[in-house]
Amino acid sequence: MKTRIIDSSGSRITELGFGSAGAGNLFRPVPYEDITKAINKAHSLGIQYFDTAPHYGAGLAERRLGVALHDLPRAYIFLSTKVGRVLHADKNSVKKDADCYVQASPFDREYDYTYDGIMRSFEDSLQRLGVSQIDMLLMHDIGELTHKEKNRVYFQQAVEGGFKAMTELREQGVVRNIGLGVNEWKICDQAMEHAQFDCFMVANCFTLLNNDITQTFTDKCRKNQVSLIAAAPFNSGILAKGSKGLGHYFYGEAPQDIVEKVIAIESVCEEFDVSLQAAAIQYALRYDCVKSILIGMTNDVRVAQNVAWYEEDIPEAFWQALAPVIYSK
């Protein structure tokens, strides 16, 4: 599988990454055996980038991923996790349903973007993952989309302490790259004024359906040697299932204007005999500042299918024909 270089650090990352939210039992329980098979399949097909977070199953995804990766050559694994939530044990639970995760670990999540909160979260993640260092550490879900009116308080925590903690961890060599992992790119733009970041992971907002990030921010990232990871290229489902399957859009029901845009995209795909899913995966990779596409995967069949879509040949004429559709207002 092709790799790209994170500009500021020189770290090498595969163009396709394995997202582990499903390993934390997102929406439904997933057997550990399925997750292990999926991780091994991904590695066998060349995927070396694996992402996780304490939020996913309240630590469950980190524990599962750490065990599954333990016997794979560490030198060929690029591992990222996140900070911003500290987990506290719930002594009254054995397994817990919360925040869209079912039968998850018995911990409560607390948002904490302070210096001490970041340091504790990082140390806890090292233990759950069974590693001594992380290739990329991302501040998770900072921004108004998650916190609404409380975001000003949390962002101030990050500016006054959280960003400093992440910078120190990078200086100590226990983290190679630092950045944000968010669902809104504009908070990344704001954060760039307060610290030197290596990479931003942007979910659901660098896709065929949602791409205003390309108007100015991709140029700014390129000029400042900040790399991007485009997560959730299917916009939580609709670009995987298509207009007839009516998958979710941003984790909810797709509005009519989005459905109509998907239909228009499908028309161009049919004209050029290109899979909608392949176009969705490969779209952001057309931008040099994008280093990897991160997709959630929970079984080996889905892994193989995603790799096939990533490898599908798409002619340049297709992208030229598609441009007026995806960039129209």
Side-chain angles (χ1 to χ4, degrees):
M1 182 171 292
K2 293 180 181 179
T3 59
R4 296 191 179 190
I5 301 296
I6 295 176
D7 297 320
S8 59
S9 68
S11 297
R12 186 174 295 275
I13 188 171
T14 50
E15 288 188 342
L16 201 62
F18 184 104
S20 69
N25 289 348
L26 180 62
F27 299 125
R28 63 184 180 85
V30 179
Y32 171 68
E33 292 76 11
D34 289 357
I35 294 299
T36 303
K37 288 180 180 178
I39 291 170
N40 287 333
K41 185 68 172 180
H43 187 262
S44 72
L45 293 177
I47 294 176
Q48 298 176 356
Y49 172 35
F50 296 87
D51 173 73
T52 189
H55 176 49
Y56 304 157
L60 178 62
E62 284 187 317
R63 289 194 291 115
R64 285 177 156 184
L65 184 63
V67 172
L69 292 177
H70 180 73
D71 292 328
L72 298 178
R74 184 65 178 91
Y76 298 100
I77 298 296
F78 186 100
L79 182 62
S80 66
T81 193
K82 306 181 183 77
V83 288
R85 290 176 175 89
V86 174
L87 304 184
H88 301 283
D90 180 356
K91 63 181 180 180
N92 297 315
S93 300
V94 176
K95 293 183 178 180
K96 195 162 188 172
D97 296 353
D99 295 316
C100 300
Y101 292 89
V102 300
Q103 299 181 28
S105 299
F107 294 88
D108 293 317
R109 303 162 177 83
E110 178 191 8
Y111 290 115
D112 192 337
Y113 299 97
T114 65
Y115 179 94
D116 290 342
I118 297 306
M119 288 301 192
R120 174 180 167 177
S121 179
F122 173 69
E123 289 294 333
D124 289 351
S125 287
L126 289 183
Q127 294 186 42
R128 284 189 293 266
L129 287 164
V131 298
S132 59
Q133 57 186 5
I134 298 292
D135 296 293
M136 183 181 294
L137 189 66
L138 304 170
M139 182 172 283
H140 203 187
D141 286 343
I142 198 78
E144 292 183 1
L145 190 64
T146 300
H147 300 300
K148 300 178 174 59
E149 68 278 358
K150 293 183 179 180
N151 183 60
R152 184 173 298 179
V153 173
Y154 288 130
F155 190 74
Q156 195 63 29
Q157 284 185 359
V159 170
E160 293 178 354
F163 294 159
K164 179 183 178 182
M166 296 174 74
T167 300
E168 287 184 7
L169 291 170
R170 182 176 58 188
E171 291 172 348
Q172 293 168 13
V174 291
V175 170
R176 290 201 66 188
N177 302 273
I178 64 171
L180 307 186
V182 295
N183 286 284
E184 48 185 315
W185 65 264
K186 292 181 180 178
I187 193 68
C188 300
D189 196 8
Q190 296 176 38
M192 285 179 73
E193 306 302 321
H194 301 281
Q196 180 59 54
F197 296 101
D198 303 288
C199 193
F200 295 129
M201 178 187 292
V202 290
N204 284 301
C205 57
F206 204 143
T207 73
L208 296 174
L209 297 173
N210 192 351
N211 48 48
D212 61 350
I213 190 173
T214 64
Q215 293 176 6
T216 59
F217 191 59
T218 48
D219 287 338
K220 183 174 182 178
C221 288
R222 189 178 300 107
K223 291 177 182 177
N224 288 276
Q225 283 198 315
V226 177
S227 300
L228 293 174
I229 296 169
F234 300 134
N235 269 132
S236 78
I238 193 168
L239 288 173
K241 295 184 178 180
S243 60
K244 294 180 180 178
L246 285 182
H248 289 118
Y249 175 72
F250 265 97
Y251 310 105
E253 184 178 348
Q256 186 57 37
D257 62 322
I258 291 296
V259 175
E260 291 174 357
K261 194 163 189 177
V262 173
I263 292 173
I265 295 171
E266 288 172 329
S267 178
V268 180
C269 288
E270 184 176 353
E271 178 184 352
F272 287 88
D273 194 25
V274 169
S275 301
L276 172 66
Q277 300 88 343
I281 289 174
Q282 296 184 38
Y283 163 65
L285 288 171
R286 293 178 57 76
Y287 290 80
D288 293 339
C289 60
V290 175
K291 306 306 178 181
S292 186
I293 306 299
L294 186 73
I295 306 175
M297 309 185 215
T298 54
N299 61 67
D300 55 350
V301 174
R302 185 168 297 178
V303 170
Q305 180 62 80
N306 285 328
V307 172
W309 284 327
Y310 157 76
E311 294 177 339
E312 184 175 321
D313 185 44
I314 300 180
E316 181 62 29
F318 166 80
W319 297 112
Q320 300 301 321
L322 188 66
V325 176
I326 64 174
Y327 294 118
S328 64
K329 296 296 184 180

